[in-house]
Amino acid sequence: MSRESTIDGLVEQKYRHGFVTDIESDTMPPGLSEEVIRAISIRKNEPEWLLEWRLKAYATWLKMEQPNWAHLNIEEIDFQKISYFSSPKSDKDRPQSLDEVDPKLLETYDKLGVPLHERARLAGVAVDAVFDSVSVGTTFKAELRKAGVIFCSFSEAVAEHPELVKKYLGSVVPQRDNFFAALNSAVFTDGSFVFIPRGVRCPMELSTYFRINAAETGQFERTLIVAEEGSHVSYLEGCTAPMRDENQLHAAVVELIALEDANIKYSTVQNWYPGDENGKGGIYNFVTKRGDCRGDRSRISWTQVETGSAITWKYPSCVLRGDDSVGEFYSVALTSNYQQADTGTKMVHLGRNTRSKIISKGISAMQGQNAYRGLVKVSPKADNARNYTQCDSMLIGKKCGAHTFPYIEVRNPTAKVEHEATTSRIGEDQLFYCLQRGISEEDAVSMIVDGFCKQVFKELPMEFAVEAKALLEVSLEGAVG
Amino acid sequence: MLQIKNLHAKVAGKEILKGLNLELEAGEIHAIMGPNGAGKSTLGNVLAGREGYEVTAGEVIFNGKNLLDLEPEERACEGVFLAFQYPVEIPGVNNTYFLRAALNAQRKYRGEAELDSVDFLRLVREKLKILDIGDKLLHRAVNEGFSGGEKKRNEIFQMAVLEPKLAVLDETDSGLDIDALKTVATGVNRLRSPDRGMIVVTHYQRLLDYIVPDKVHVLADGKLVATGGADLALKLEEQGYAWLEDGGIQSLELGAGDQQ
């Protein structure tokens, strides 16, 4: 076997998905119309104002066209063929114990180091006696309540904190922002809501809590995080464990609001089903994520590790409105087989002395196509704005591609904007160097990739940095077994 | 310890080694000199098992084993070390971490216990002391941003830690100024050992002022065309490689190498 084909063998991701459940009976028939939106709102028992908000978004969406500017090959999506509501699975339709779960999936959990007590929940096992999530969740919840932190599902927030939702919903990502954001605004079914009151440092990584409680993410998720003056929060979404979903299109919206001196750290580790080795059947992940540094000296930091999805199209962005505010974006995106990613960030400098930093690491293997697209915009009033962008691409094998599209718009002469970009090939020479020292090929590949991603991994909460590293190893070393 | 018999090898379809024979005993240092394109680097890469170097005939016996049957990493674990002409950068991978991974992979292969970080650091300190080099390179990524001299020193440092049985130094002197050359040569000399054979591949004689070989071979057009003592290197330096083609080989073989 030639070295080239060995590398291909190594990077060929063996996606160990779990099981595919039958479509639930309580699923709306496919199609999108005003009636469907009304029906969603009724099922969710929503107040009138939210229904109106949805309908307005729907009217906007109808006038929009699906964009096609990304460096992506997307089969046309028929929005009338999608079902926009399905109720959560009932326990009787789930596997009743881990014994019923695909052993391959369990093996992956093992490799990823997923704690034993989380495996059942991740695999979708009915959680009665098997797994005591309730008590763990309750403990967390009590601790959060004591600190005054609100962390609940979006539906719960609509019911219990309507004034907060009403005040902030759509204030960062307006309905008309883009095609998919408008669609999400019309049909979103659930998501998460976080509110950190003034001066509070959230007593725990919301990641931990999140993993226990919010596994079932919808097709059209909505996340809203509000950090009041001087508060701090670190939030992690996603999971390194592979996620299979019958919904092909995922169009989430995430809005972050940081008031004066507030600090939001948002980390994503996503491992959606990428499709088979011919690129069939994977998830389309079209997400709008934006943070608004609304107050002076506020700070928003995005960190993402993306290894899944057939197509990823997202640009977690920061609007640096407050003076001296800071935006950061750290990203690792891996595309293998026929995966495509067009991802990056936007840093919009509006306030004075605003700073932004972008570290993007793209890894392409097999026929994977990886594009970085980033906008750095400095408005006329943003005196002394600073940006540093570093954009590195790594190619594994010869059939993949890496593309970089930096956009820089500077309208203030005091701005200082730096952009660095490199492209390297994990090459025969690096591999041979490792082999010649006695290191096995698999260890060599993961070592090289891990080194490449180091700047981003160190931004992740510790436990997830370890998992993210394992995730890349699994993604690149399907042959391990 | 090493017997190379009638070795033929191709690179990109072109025959580079055309029947090379060489015997090396433990404890010896052999220098291989030759003009550009003679196949000097090819020899090192073939011994290390690099992809793209296709052996078409001949055999290589290393401590009783057929080296050509082994994977590159197995050859390394058997004790074959190649000091690269162009050491490769691996950004973000700490040099110490890399070296420990390598040493432990080799130890595991040999059925020895892996070293924990405390023991490993102790070993590393000891080797740094022997080589008389600072510990700065421990904290950096593998060869990343290293100067030419630092890269070569790092190769020698790796060799010191991995303690190979056979070390092939591929143009270790290329791109070095005289001070860096001396440092590297000093390191190599300190790693001379009765259990270790070394092949020093070089284009220039000057390295051999500092690393005095037991034998000097001249490689031309894929074969060893002459073998002699350290003085052969001086002869080559004086006369240039052109002298070989102008009948110098014949004169050597006649035992009259000093005639003009």
Side-chain angles (χ1 to χ4, degrees):
Chain A
M1 193 192 268
S2 74
R3 179 71 67 214
E4 182 68 26
S5 61
T6 315
I7 297 176
D8 282 357
L10 281 176
V11 300
E12 193 165 353
Q13 168 156 356
K14 301 282 185 292
Y15 192 89
R16 281 109 198 241
H17 60 83
F19 51 90
V20 180
T21 46
D22 295 325
I23 302 290
E24 299 289 333
S25 52
D26 190 16
T27 296
M28 279 189 194
L32 183 54
S33 63
E34 217 176 285
E35 285 62 50
V36 167
I37 291 166
R38 284 180 193 281
I40 292 172
S41 196
I42 288 166
R43 290 210 195 187
K44 299 194 67 64
N45 219 353
E46 283 177 356
E48 186 62 24
W49 65 265
L50 190 52
L51 172 62
E52 275 165 25
W53 197 80
R54 287 177 181 277
L55 290 174
K56 204 175 129 205
Y58 178 62
T60 308
W61 180 73
L62 283 178
K63 285 180 233 148
M64 298 174 99
E65 270 177 35
Q66 190 179 335
N68 63 358
W69 44 262
H71 192 84
L72 299 170
N73 245 325
I74 306 170
E75 272 181 54
E76 208 176 322
I77 301 166
D78 185 343
F79 293 94
Q80 294 304 333
K81 280 199 175 150
I82 295 172
S83 169
Y84 290 86
F85 187 87
S86 68
S87 67
K89 291 186 189 70
S90 63
D91 281 359
K92 70 173 170 52
D93 294 326
R94 298 163 179 250
Q96 296 302 306
S97 78
L98 277 177
D99 298 341
E100 292 177 31
V101 173
D102 184 350
K104 294 269 187 198
L105 183 69
L106 298 177
E107 199 183 301
T108 305
Y109 290 169
D110 200 39
K111 279 182 202 150
L112 291 171
V114 174
L116 282 172
H117 67 271
E118 286 184 25
R119 295 183 189 185
R121 185 189 53 83
L122 287 172
V125 172
V127 285
D128 43 27
V130 179
F131 161 61
D132 185 10
S133 77
V134 182
S135 63
V136 183
T138 314
T139 317
F140 285 152
K141 209 152 195 170
E143 200 180 330
L144 288 174
R145 197 178 300 121
K146 217 170 84 191
V149 172
I150 301 168
F151 181 34
C152 59
S153 73
F154 204 89
S155 313
E156 241 177 293
V158 169
E160 288 169 30
H161 310 282
E163 70 298 338
L164 288 175
V165 176
K166 214 169 168 177
K167 182 169 175 189
Y168 292 107
L169 178 67
S171 74
V172 184
V173 180
Q175 294 173 332
R176 71 178 71 82
D177 188 82
N178 68 70
F179 183 82
F180 294 106
L183 178 64
N184 174 289
S185 301
V187 301
F188 73 88
T189 38
D190 214 332
S192 307
F193 177 78
V194 178
F195 178 81
I196 317 289
R198 182 187 295 249
V200 168
R201 189 174 278 268
C202 188
M204 66 187 75
E205 298 270 355
L206 290 183
S207 55
T208 325
Y209 182 98
F210 189 81
R211 291 200 325 164
I212 305 292
N213 285 277
E216 298 251 316
T217 53
Q219 185 176 12
F220 300 101
E221 233 183 317
R222 190 97 199 178
T223 303
L224 179 57
I225 298 179
V226 180
E228 280 200 330
E229 291 84 351
S231 66
H232 281 65
V233 61
S234 168
Y235 181 94
L236 187 130
E237 73 163 339
C239 181
T240 52
M243 301 276 251
R244 182 157 181 127
D245 197 303
E246 299 102 59
N247 302 313
Q248 192 175 34
L249 174 65
H250 277 247
V253 171
V254 177
E255 298 179 278
L256 312 182
I257 295 131
L259 302 183
E260 259 178 42
D261 298 298
N263 194 323
I264 301 177
K265 188 174 172 64
Y266 191 105
S267 314
T268 306
V269 175
Q270 203 72 271
N271 189 15
W272 293 113
Y273 181 58
D276 64 14
E277 55 267 24
N278 300 314
K280 291 267 178 279
I283 302 274
Y284 292 2
N285 192 21
F286 302 159
V287 181
T288 306
K289 289 181 163 178
R290 192 172 306 151
D292 189 356
C293 285
R294 212 164 274 183
D296 294 348
R297 297 171 303 281
S298 57
R299 182 186 199 108
I300 289 178
S301 176
W302 299 98
T303 305
Q304 61 171 19
V305 176
E306 296 282 344
T307 65
S309 301
I311 304 178
T312 300
W313 189 359
K314 69 174 208 178
Y315 314 92
S317 305
C318 296
V319 179
L320 303 169
R321 202 181 301 277
D323 290 347
D324 302 290
S325 59
V326 177
E328 293 171 322
F329 174 75
Y330 301 94
S331 169
V332 167
L334 179 142
T335 53
S336 186
N337 289 322
Y338 286 90
Q339 283 177 275
Q340 308 174 63
D342 192 305
T343 182
T345 185
K346 289 187 269 184
M347 293 292 174
V348 181
H349 293 255
L350 301 177
R352 282 170 298 176
N353 308 317
T354 46
R355 282 173 291 146
S356 61
K357 182 171 169 188
I358 299 169
I359 307 285
S360 165
K361 304 277 181 177
I363 303 165
S364 318
M366 313 292 286
Q367 283 89 359
Q369 293 293 327
N370 214 323
Y372 167 81
R373 190 182 302 275
L375 168 69
V376 175
K377 188 171 177 175
V378 178
S379 76
K381 285 182 185 156
D383 292 338
N384 302 313
R386 294 280 178 276
N387 164 266
Y388 173 74
T389 299
Q390 184 190 333
C391 180
D392 299 325
S393 309
M394 177 178 273
L395 304 174
I396 306 179
K398 292 193 175 116
K399 286 172 250 165
C400 53
H403 316 271
T404 304
F405 305 98
Y407 303 84
I408 299 173
E409 276 178 53
V410 176
R411 294 169 62 203
N412 183 310
T414 61
K416 193 171 160 194
V417 176
E418 290 174 71
H419 182 96
E420 286 181 22
T422 67
T423 301
S424 56
R425 197 173 280 283
I426 194 171
E428 201 257 334
D429 56 340
Q430 280 179 329
L431 263 180
F432 178 62
Y433 192 70
C434 295
L435 294 176
Q436 211 301 306
R437 299 303 184 244
I439 298 168
S440 73
E441 190 156 304
E442 290 178 353
D443 288 348
V445 169
S446 63
M447 190 185 275
I448 294 164
V449 170
D450 183 43
F452 178 71
C453 300
K454 198 166 218 164
Q455 279 171 293
V456 175
F457 286 172
K458 72 180 173 53
E459 296 299 324
L460 284 173
M462 184 61 151
E463 65 199 281
F464 286 102
V466 175
E467 284 188 20
K469 187 179 163 199
L471 173 60
L472 285 196
E473 277 171 22
V474 172
S475 302
L476 287 170
E477 299 179 26
V480 179
Chain B
M1 98 183 325
L2 179 72
Q3 290 97 34
I4 302 174
K5 292 174 195 157
N6 188 35
L7 186 62
H8 289 254
K10 276 187 187 170
V11 181
K14 191 179 168 209
E15 186 164 53
I16 305 290
L17 296 183
K18 302 172 181 172
L20 189 143
N21 295 289
L22 177 74
E23 289 216 16
L24 177 82
E25 291 307 320
E28 289 182 345
I29 295 190
H30 287 201
I32 294 185
M33 301 183 67
N36 289 328
K40 298 195 299 292
S41 288
T42 300
L43 176 62
N45 284 315
V46 166
L47 291 179
R50 186 166 200 151
E51 178 81 12
Y53 290 76
E54 187 195 345
V55 175
T56 49
E59 63 175 357
V60 178
I61 307 296
F62 176 62
N63 286 333
K65 290 193 180 162
N66 189 345
L67 197 66
L68 302 177
D69 286 347
L70 303 177
E71 294 295 326
E73 62 272 31
E74 292 171 330
R75 300 183 195 194
C77 292
E78 289 287 342
V80 175
F81 180 91
L82 176 65
F84 284 62
Q85 181 177 5
Y86 304 107
V88 179
E89 300 194 6
I90 311 179
V93 176
N94 175 272
N95 213 14
T96 315
Y97 175 83
F98 172 79
L99 195 48
R100 190 174 148 218
L103 179 65
N104 278 336
Q106 296 199 10
R107 290 180 67 99
K108 204 168 153 190
Y109 177 90
R110 297 192 294 256
E112 297 163 12
E114 297 183 22
L115 290 187
D116 63 23
S117 47
V118 176
D119 288 341
F120 180 72
L121 264 176
R122 192 173 298 135
L123 174 74
V124 158
R125 300 269 170 220
E126 190 187 301
K127 299 297 181 185
L128 287 173
K129 213 163 154 189
I130 294 172
L131 298 180
D132 207 9
I133 52 181
D135 61 0
K136 255 193 349 214
L137 54 80
L138 296 182
H139 309 296
R140 294 167 64 181
V142 180
N143 294 319
E144 193 186 22
F146 282 29
S147 70
E150 285 173 327
K151 282 184 180 170
K152 298 298 172 77
R153 229 177 298 164
N154 196 27
E155 294 292 289
I156 303 304
F157 168 60
Q158 292 184 18
M159 172 170 138
V161 172
L162 296 174
E163 300 178 326
K165 299 195 184 97
L166 170 68
V168 181
L169 278 61
D170 188 9
E171 307 222 12
T172 293
D173 51 335
S174 68
L176 294 189
D177 61 31
I178 195 72
D179 291 332
L181 184 71
K182 277 186 196 165
T183 315
V184 166
T186 307
V188 172
N189 285 327
R190 289 181 184 169
L191 297 176
R192 282 184 110 141
S193 142
D195 321 318
R196 182 170 297 142
M198 295 197 203
I199 295 175
V200 177
V201 175
T202 181
H203 185 78
Y204 299 105
Q205 185 273 337
R206 64 173 191 168
L207 179 65
L208 306 181
D209 285 343
Y210 303 99
I211 303 173
V212 180
D214 299 298
K215 281 186 184 168
V216 174
H217 306 279
V218 177
L219 179 61
D221 196 25
K223 286 185 213 170
L224 295 187
V225 294
T227 294
D231 54 333
L232 176 57
L234 291 168
K235 188 82 199 172
L236 280 171
E237 179 78 356
E238 198 181 297
Q239 309 276 3
Y241 287 109
W243 160 74
L244 289 172
E245 285 144 32
D246 299 343
I249 295 171
Q250 285 83 343
S251 61
L252 263 175
E253 283 166 350
L254 295 168
D258 53 357
Q259 73 179 29
Q260 196 66 31

